């Protein structure tokens, strides 16, 4: 099966003008011949994504995510290596590719602010050259799936952020794209709106086998929408594998919450940090390499009977930070 996305040792280098140094004579020379520095944005990056996969593409600011996405969309041409998206070479066949991909940006809208969503959908149908009958059928389907009927006649400026994002995603799916780029699709949304958007994305990907490539600083998007994570930093690949395995590979701590018969317990062991301590309840963070969980539980039982106990992984945010930290030190995991 042909991959939906394939990068083979792709690099992108930008030339940045060097800051002026010296006096007036040096600055005058720079007007005619200023030196430049090479900034490597993407460095020998390789990965492939199968049709229908839901992939989180993450990294800190300046990691090379945006540059990579622009090469995938054909906006930038790689300096080295090969890029294929849905069988197209993006930089050379950008127009053909545009009819096969969709985009959702949490901080940018493809809907006309003064118009109701229905009118925006009709305009986008003309942009993508969708015939009237097919457009009406597609709009009816998406309206039903995304529960948009009460919103279609309301100007976009009067919609809540959650309502607008549902319309944005429907607009991006209007032309039945095979690949959807998502950039911070839940930014600014409340908890219930985030859950609804994540469920819609996952359901639509499964129903129509749309490939999702999601970038987000919200690890909840990654955990609840995607099955695979690709992590880059300094333009290089750090991790490529299942989201669940990301926890197992880089998780160094566990969190234990203890409900005791004694009003307070005091667990003093190496690698154990008290996160909170209240009446009959103690929350601990345990560094597994230093102290095993069994020893912590034994120490708690030595002080009091335990009525209940919960053991949880550290938040995914902590896992991602540990991954970034490992890439910053020679000899760290990669």
């Amino acid at each position: 099966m042909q991959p939906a996305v394939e990068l083979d040792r792709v690099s992108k280098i930008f030339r940045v003008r060097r800051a002026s140094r010296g006096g007036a004579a040096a600055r005058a020379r720079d007007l005619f011949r200023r030196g430049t520095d090479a900034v490597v944005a993407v460095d020998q990056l390789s990965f492939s994504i199968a049709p229908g996969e839901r992939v989180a593409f993450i990294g800190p600011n300046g990691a090379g995510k945006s540059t990579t996405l622009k090469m995938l969309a054909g906006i930038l041409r790689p300096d080295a290596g090969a890029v294929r998206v849905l069988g197209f070479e993006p930089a050379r066949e950008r127009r053909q590719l545009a009819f096969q991909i969709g985009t959702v940006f949490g901080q940018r809208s493809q809907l006309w602010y003064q118009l109701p969503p229905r009118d925006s959908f009709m305009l986008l149908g003309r942009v993508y050259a969708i015939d009237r009958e097919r457009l009406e059928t597609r709009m009816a389907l998406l309206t039903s799936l995304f529960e948009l009927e009460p919103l279609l006649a309301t100007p976009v400026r009067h919609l809540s952020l959650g309502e607008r994002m549902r319309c944005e995603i429907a607009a991006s799916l209007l032309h039945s794209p095979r690949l959807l780029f998502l950039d911070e699709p839940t930014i600014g949304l409340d908890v219930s709106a985030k859950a609804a958007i994540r469920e819609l994305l996952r359901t639509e990907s499964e129903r129509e086998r749309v490939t999702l490539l999601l970038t987000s600083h919200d690890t909840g998007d990654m955990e609840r929408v995607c099955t695979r994570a690709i992590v880059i930093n300094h333009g290089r690949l750090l991790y490529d594998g299942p989201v669940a395995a990301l926890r197992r590979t880089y998780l160094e701590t566990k969190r234990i919450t203890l409900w005791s018969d004694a009003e307070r317990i005091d667990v003093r062991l190496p690698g154990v940090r008290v996160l909170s301590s209240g009446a009959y309840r103690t929350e601990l963070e345990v560094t597994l390499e230093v102290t095993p969980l069994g020893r912590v539980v034994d120490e708690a039982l030595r002080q009091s009977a335990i009525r209940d106990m919960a053991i949880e992984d550290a938040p995914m945010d902590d896992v991602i930070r540990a991954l970034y930290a490992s890439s910053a030190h020679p000899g760290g995991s990669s």
Side-chain angles (χ1 to χ4, degrees), residues 58 194 198 216-224 243 246-247 250-251 253 255 285 313-325:
I58 57 178
K194 283 186 178 185
R198 290 163 178 165
S216 178
H217 288 98
D218 187 333
T219 54
D221 291 346
M222 176 177 70
E223 292 187 277
R224 291 168 178 80
V243 172
L246 181 58
R247 278 188 182 277
Y250 291 94
L251 195 61
T253 63
R255 294 190 177 186
E285 183 179 78
D313 289 331
M316 182 60 83
D317 287 328
D318 293 351
V319 179
I320 298 297
R321 278 195 292 271
L323 175 56
Y324 294 160

Side-chain angles (χ1 to χ4, degrees), residues 35-224:
T36 60
D37 294 321
V39 177
V40 180
V42 177
D43 189 7
Q44 296 284 305
L45 185 62
S46 297
F47 63 80
S48 65
I49 298 173
E53 271 197 289
R54 301 190 300 277
V55 180
F57 186 51
I58 57 178
N61 291 331
K65 302 188 302 295
S66 295
T67 300
T68 302
L69 291 176
K70 287 176 181 177
M71 289 191 286
L72 292 178
I75 298 170
L76 293 176
R77 185 183 297 273
D79 294 321
V83 180
R84 303 289 293 181
V85 177
L86 302 174
F88 297 102
E89 184 182 331
R92 189 169 59 84
E93 301 171 288
R94 184 179 173 189
R95 182 178 177 84
Q96 297 94 312
L97 178 62
F99 285 87
Q100 304 295 325
I101 63 175
T103 57
V104 177
F105 295 101
Q107 295 179 305
R108 298 177 187 174
S109 179
Q110 60 185 321
L111 302 173
W112 279 264
Y113 192 63
Q114 305 295 339
L115 298 180
R118 186 192 304 276
D119 290 355
S120 289
F121 293 165
M122 296 299 292
L123 285 169
L124 288 170
R126 295 289 298 272
V127 170
Y128 287 105
I130 307 172
D131 68 71
R132 184 62 178 259
E133 183 178 350
R134 179 174 162 237
L135 178 61
E136 292 287 355
T137 301
R138 187 69 177 163
M139 284 175 56
L141 174 63
L142 293 171
T143 296
S144 173
L145 291 172
F146 287 52
E147 300 179 352
L148 301 180
E149 187 61 45
L151 313 178
L152 289 180
T154 304
V156 170
R157 69 179 186 275
H158 292 151
L159 299 178
S160 70
L161 186 56
E163 291 170 340
R164 182 175 70 78
M165 285 310 301
R166 279 158 51 202
C167 293
E168 292 280 358
I169 296 171
S172 71
L173 294 171
L174 202 59
H175 58 295
S176 303
R178 295 157 57 195
L179 171 64
L180 195 58
F181 294 124
L182 301 142
D183 182 30
E184 304 282 4
T186 65
I187 191 168
L189 300 183
D190 60 35
V191 173
S192 59
K194 283 186 178 185
I197 293 298
R198 290 163 178 165
E199 178 64 25
L200 284 171
L201 290 171
R202 190 171 57 248
T203 302
E204 278 306 287
S205 174
E206 292 172 351
R207 190 177 68 85
E208 296 194 342
R209 293 198 74 238
V210 178
T211 305
L212 301 185
L213 186 58
L214 180 149
T215 63
S216 178
H217 288 98
D218 187 333
T219 54
D221 291 346
M222 176 177 70
E223 292 187 277
R224 291 168 178 80

Side-chain angles (χ1 to χ4, degrees), residues 297-315:
V297 175
D298 289 344
E299 175 62 22
L301 287 169
R302 190 181 64 79
Q303 299 182 32
S304 169
I306 301 299
R307 291 185 289 110
D308 201 358
M309 176 173 59
I311 301 176
E312 300 174 307
D313 289 331

